[in-house]
């Protein structure tokens, strides 16, 4: 392990590293409580300091008496603002910067609080300042730094911290070693994690769970299962790791087997199963699992609700979605998170209940781009083209920068409203002003827009000049427009391209045959039917071509919200 100089370390600490490794939303989120800062019994004054106003009041009293005169009170102030009062970490930083000579407890506390905050890189920056002042780190300092690196996904910086651990002689500390195993298993080097694990005489359940989770995260479920089976003592975290690992791979049978025998369950266990079913498109099973969860007396959380709303949106279960909405209000009041609000808008939008989607949208205290995209798509896909375009213009006026998904929605709206020139303008704006390269869905929208307006030559010209190879949806959209406007020759061209891409779709043959028939070219229609028979393609009984093609195209565009590429 290479040990770097302080100047090099500080440089790395101020860098922004990429390649962050994340774990799915249903994964373990419970934090093991750090029992590493030994403190004296808190006085009654500090035990009552549980709110931001109380903290500021005590701080003011300390300033009057001489802010730096009582080290014990300073420790309590830093601990309360860093660890006790939610959202007060910035205040802790301001307070800490006024302390003339902080001791190691104060340094460790502010580093610890920073590591657990949304801005975890502050932990590394404070360690850099601590190192510059010549304050020696102890065995409690490094675990917080390693946790910050893990949270940020800063692999190189984590390796540097590991080097500092080795240089300082703290690698044998059980707490430090377990944190290093977790870091390397999560986003570092699995080989190093395994070496640390095997080199330990005392292997705590935390180390077993961390290494097992590391293998599961990398998709190496066989090795993860071997470790899990070999664990002398299995805690709930270990069970959740394996259940989640199988669920994320879509192996729901194996996940269910473990779930059924786990000694105890928490909300993470239930979320892993619900999320697994939903992401495997077993939406009804996910909803049924939620019913089991409620019967078992387990309270859902925001992750549960997100998964269930996605299931309702996919199934079109508006009634269930409404009941979930009421439950969300009961759980969170009107302080519903942006993520949950966006999921509600998406669910109502896909179910065609635009009024409720708008109600949720306007109740949001803050909105992100997904909020706008969800409401735009809801309008566009359910025939509210004018409203969608107006909402897009309002979004631009508010300086919200659109993305590729936004333009899919607005192009659909322009297509349905017959606003060809405006749609063409937005298509050009997407590229010239926002430097967004059009993908297959944008081209599909443009072909559909030209086809609806009868501009078949423009549609074909666009297809022929696309930098992406047109797919079946593109050609089928053109073929449908050829039927509407009776363009036999272009219909034949589109059909030939379709047959070259996919030989077994009966609708393509039937649509071309109908184009011939609508113009009284019965020989051509018969030839197409004969070609379909010769190829062995069988038309499904009861198949509605127009509705089927429309549904396929709309589903293709709806998927843009999940897959913008």
């Amino acid at each position: 392990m290479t040990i770097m100089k302080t100047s090099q370390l500080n440089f790395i600490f101020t860098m922004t590293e990429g390649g962050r490794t994340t774990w799915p939303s249903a994964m373990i989120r419970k934090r093991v409580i750090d029992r590493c800062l030994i403190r004296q019994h808190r006085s009654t004054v500090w035990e009552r300091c549980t709110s931001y106003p109380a903290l500021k009041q005590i701080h003011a009293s300390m300033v009057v008496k001489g802010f730096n005169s009582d080290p014990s009170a300073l420790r309590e102030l830093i601990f309360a603002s860093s660890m006790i009062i939610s959202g007060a970490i910035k205040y802790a930083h301001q307070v800490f910067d006024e302390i003339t000579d902080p001791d190691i407890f104060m340094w460790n506390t502010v580093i610890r609080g920073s590591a657990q905050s949304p801005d975890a890189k502050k932990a590394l920056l404070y360690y850099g300042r601590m190192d510059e002042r010549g304050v020696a780190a102890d065995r409690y300092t490094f675990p917080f730094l390693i946790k910050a690196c893990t949270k940020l996904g800063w692999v190189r910086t984590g390796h540097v911290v590991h080097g500092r651990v080795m240089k300082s002689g703290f690698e044998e500390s059980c707490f430090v070693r377990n944190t290093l195993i977790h870091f390397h298993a999560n986003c570092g080097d699995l080989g190093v994690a395994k070496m640390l694990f095997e080199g330990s005489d005392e292997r705590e359940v935390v180390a077993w769970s961390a290494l097992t989770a590391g293998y599961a995260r990398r998709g190496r479920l066989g090795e993860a299962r071997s470790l899990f089976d070999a664990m002398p003592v299995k805690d709930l975290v270990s069970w959740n790791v394996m259940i989640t690992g199988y669920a994320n791979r879509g192996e729901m049978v194996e996940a269910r087997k473990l779930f059924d025998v786990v000694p105890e369950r928490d909300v993470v266990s239930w979320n892993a199963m619900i999320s697994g079913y939903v992401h495997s498109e077993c939406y009804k099973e996910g909803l049924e699992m939620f019913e089991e969860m409620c019967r078992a007396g387990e309270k859902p959380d925001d992750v549960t609700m997100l998964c269930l709303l996605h299931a309702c949106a996919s199934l079109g279960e508006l009634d269930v979605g409404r009941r979930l909405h009421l439950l969300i209000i009961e759980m969170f009041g009107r302080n519903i998170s942006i993520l949950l609000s966006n999921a509600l808008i998406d669910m109502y939008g896909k179910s065609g209940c635009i009024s409720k989607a708008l109600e949720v949208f306007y109740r949001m205290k803050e909105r992100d781009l997904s909020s706008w995209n969800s409401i735009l798509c809801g309008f566009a896909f359910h025939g509210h083209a004018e409203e969608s375009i107006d909402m897009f213009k309002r979004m631009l006026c508010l300086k919200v920068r659109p993305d590729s998904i936004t333009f899919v929605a607005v192009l659909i709206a322009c297509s349905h409203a017959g606003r060809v020139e405006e749609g063409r303008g937005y298509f050009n704006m997407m590229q010239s002003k926002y430097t967004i390269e059009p993908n297959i869905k944008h081209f599909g929208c443009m072909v559909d827009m030209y086809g609806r307006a009868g501009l078949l030559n423009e549609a074909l010209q666009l297809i022929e000049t696309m930098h992406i190879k047109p797919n079946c949806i593109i050609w089928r959209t053109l073929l449908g427009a050829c039927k509407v406007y009776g363009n036999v020759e272009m219909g034949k061209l589109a059909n030939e391209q379709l047959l070259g891409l996919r030989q077994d779709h009966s609708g393509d043959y039937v649509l071309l045959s109908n184009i011939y028939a609508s113009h009284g070219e019965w020989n051509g229609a018969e030839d197409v039917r004969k070609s379909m028979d010769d190829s062995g393609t069988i038309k499904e009984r009861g198949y509605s071509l127009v509705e089927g093609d429309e549904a396929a195209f709309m589903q293709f565009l709806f998927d843009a919200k999940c897959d913008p590429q």
Side-chain angles (χ1 to χ4, degrees):
M1 183 73 67
T2 303
I3 308 300
M4 303 189 76
K5 295 180 180 179
T6 301
S7 59
Q8 294 172 304
L9 186 64
N10 289 341
F11 171 73
I12 290 176
F13 283 168
T14 58
M15 289 176 61
T16 300
E17 299 195 9
R20 181 176 179 182
T21 303
T22 59
W23 190 235
S25 60
M27 188 46 193
I28 302 155
R29 299 174 302 151
K30 288 191 174 180
R31 184 173 63 241
V32 177
I33 297 173
D34 303 315
R35 296 183 296 272
C36 58
L37 296 181
I38 301 173
R39 304 169 58 254
Q40 296 178 350
H41 179 69
R42 305 185 76 201
S43 67
T44 304
V45 173
W46 289 105
E47 286 179 348
R48 292 175 180 173
C49 183
T50 57
S51 67
Y52 197 68
L55 178 71
K56 295 182 74 173
Q57 188 175 11
I58 296 175
H59 181 195
S61 175
M62 291 172 62
V63 171
V64 171
K65 295 177 181 178
F67 181 66
N68 283 284
S69 61
D70 187 349
S72 177
L74 289 174
R75 294 189 196 102
E76 293 285 5
L77 181 64
I78 292 298
F79 186 81
S81 55
S82 298
M83 303 301 303
I84 301 298
I85 300 172
S86 177
I89 187 63
K90 289 184 179 179
Y91 190 80
H93 293 155
Q94 294 171 354
V95 170
F96 186 87
D97 293 343
E98 298 299 320
I99 300 175
T100 55
D101 188 23
D103 59 22
I104 188 63
F105 176 88
M106 298 179 202
W107 282 106
N108 283 346
T109 303
V110 76
I111 290 172
R112 178 190 186 189
S114 300
Q116 295 176 2
S117 75
D119 191 12
K121 65 177 178 290
K122 286 283 189 180
L124 301 164
L125 294 173
Y126 271 97
Y127 172 68
R129 288 172 53 183
M130 173 181 166
D131 190 63
E132 286 176 354
R133 292 196 190 184
V135 180
D138 62 14
R139 65 190 180 94
Y140 300 134
T141 313
F142 289 113
F144 305 138
L145 297 175
I146 297 163
K147 287 182 178 182
C149 292
T150 306
K151 185 175 182 178
L152 293 165
W154 285 12
V155 179
R156 287 179 296 164
T157 306
H159 285 147
V160 174
V161 175
H162 190 171
R164 284 296 185 96
V165 168
M166 294 176 67
K167 184 178 180 180
S168 303
F170 292 123
E171 197 176 38
E172 296 304 315
S173 165
C174 183
F175 185 66
V176 175
R177 179 179 288 264
N178 288 344
T179 314
L180 282 169
I181 291 171
H182 182 262
F183 162 73
H184 285 292
N186 186 72
C187 58
D189 190 326
L190 263 176
V192 175
K194 185 178 180 182
M195 179 188 68
L196 289 168
F197 176 79
E198 293 178 343
S200 176
D201 294 329
E202 296 182 10
R203 299 173 184 170
E204 294 186 348
V205 67
V206 174
W208 284 92
S209 297
L211 189 57
T212 303
Y215 281 116
R217 287 186 181 99
R218 313 291 176 94
R220 295 163 64 171
L221 284 181
E223 291 158 289
R225 185 59 186 266
S226 296
L227 271 172
F228 177 76
D229 291 339
M231 288 177 66
V233 178
K234 299 178 179 66
D235 63 357
L236 182 55
V237 173
S238 309
W239 286 94
N240 286 341
V241 162
M242 288 309 306
I243 293 170
T244 304
Y246 282 122
N248 288 335
R249 282 268 294 267
E251 299 182 26
M252 296 309 300
V253 173
E254 289 299 320
R256 184 72 202 222
K257 286 179 182 177
L258 288 177
F259 181 82
D260 288 340
V261 298
V262 62
E264 59 175 323
R265 299 167 184 150
D266 62 2
V267 67
V268 176
S269 317
W270 290 98
N271 284 349
M273 293 299 299
I274 293 171
S275 175
Y277 280 127
V278 171
H279 289 119
S280 299
E281 299 184 0
C282 301
Y283 304 118
K284 290 184 178 180
E285 288 83 349
L287 294 174
E288 290 169 359
M289 180 62 69
F290 176 62
E291 292 179 6
E292 286 187 43
M293 178 182 182
C294 294
R295 286 196 296 269
E298 185 66 58
K299 292 184 178 180
D301 62 6
D302 52 342
V303 175
T304 322
M305 294 294 107
L306 285 170
C307 293
L308 295 171
L309 288 173
H310 180 68
C312 290
S314 301
L315 289 172
E317 289 280 1
L318 181 57
D319 288 340
V320 178
R322 281 177 172 149
R323 290 199 291 271
L324 290 174
H325 190 180
L326 292 174
L327 180 56
I328 289 169
I329 293 173
E330 184 180 322
M331 291 166 62
F332 303 104
R334 295 298 176 183
N335 298 316
I336 302 174
S337 69
I338 292 179
L339 279 176
L340 273 176
S341 296
N342 292 346
L344 283 166
I345 294 169
D346 183 61
M347 184 273 295
Y348 282 125
K350 286 183 177 177
S351 301
C353 191
I354 303 301
S355 60
K356 288 295 292 184
L358 268 177
E359 181 184 320
V360 175
F361 181 80
Y362 285 125
R363 282 184 179 274
M364 294 177 71
K365 296 178 180 178
E366 294 181 40
R367 304 182 185 100
D368 61 10
L369 180 57
S370 293
S371 314
W372 289 94
N373 285 347
S374 295
I375 199 67
L376 285 170
C377 288
F379 275 135
F381 283 113
H382 291 283
H384 301 274
E386 299 293 339
E387 292 88 339
S388 183
I389 295 169
D390 290 343
M391 185 68 77
F392 176 68
K393 291 177 179 177
R394 179 183 171 192
M395 173 183 168
L396 295 182
C397 289
L398 292 173
K399 307 299 182 185
V400 180
R401 185 180 179 86
D403 64 2
S404 62
I405 300 172
T406 316
F407 281 102
V408 169
V410 76
L411 289 175
I412 293 169
C414 289
S415 175
H416 287 188
R419 294 163 72 162
V420 177
E421 288 305 317
E422 194 168 351
R424 187 185 284 125
Y426 290 139
F427 185 72
N428 293 330
M429 176 202 291
M430 175 179 71
Q431 300 170 75
S432 60
K433 184 175 181 178
Y434 297 103
T435 63
I436 298 173
E437 192 73 15
N439 59 42
I440 194 69
K441 296 178 175 65
H442 299 115
F443 285 115
C445 292
M446 292 299 293
V447 172
D448 182 59
M449 182 177 67
Y450 286 137
R452 286 173 183 263
L455 302 174
L456 302 185
N457 290 329
E458 285 87 341
L460 181 60
Q461 183 180 0
L462 178 66
I463 294 172
E464 290 174 340
T465 57
M466 285 169 53
H467 66 276
I468 306 171
K469 183 179 179 180
N471 61 10
C472 294
I473 299 293
I474 298 287
W475 287 113
R476 194 166 294 122
T477 302
L478 180 62
L479 183 59
C482 290
K483 178 183 183 298
V484 173
Y485 290 97
N487 194 321
V488 178
E489 292 303 315
M490 195 178 292
K492 286 171 62 178
L493 172 63
N495 185 257
E496 288 171 3
Q497 295 295 329
L498 277 168
L499 296 181
L501 293 171
R502 183 176 176 180
Q503 293 284 342
D504 60 346
H505 198 289
S506 63
D508 301 333
Y509 290 97
V510 174
L511 188 51
L512 182 60
S513 174
N514 290 344
I515 293 175
Y516 279 116
S518 64
H519 281 71
E521 298 184 23
W522 304 110
N523 290 334
E526 183 62 30
D527 289 342
V528 173
R529 294 281 183 172
K530 186 176 184 302
S531 296
M532 183 175 74
D533 293 337
D534 292 343
S535 68
T537 304
I538 301 173
K539 183 180 183 298
E540 295 180 12
R541 183 172 298 177
Y543 178 74
S544 175
L545 179 65
V546 175
E547 292 179 1
D549 285 345
E550 177 75 9
F553 181 71
M554 296 302 286
Q555 184 60 51
F556 165 72
L557 295 175
F558 232 142
D559 290 342
K561 293 186 67 180
C562 301
D563 179 18
Q565 299 303 317

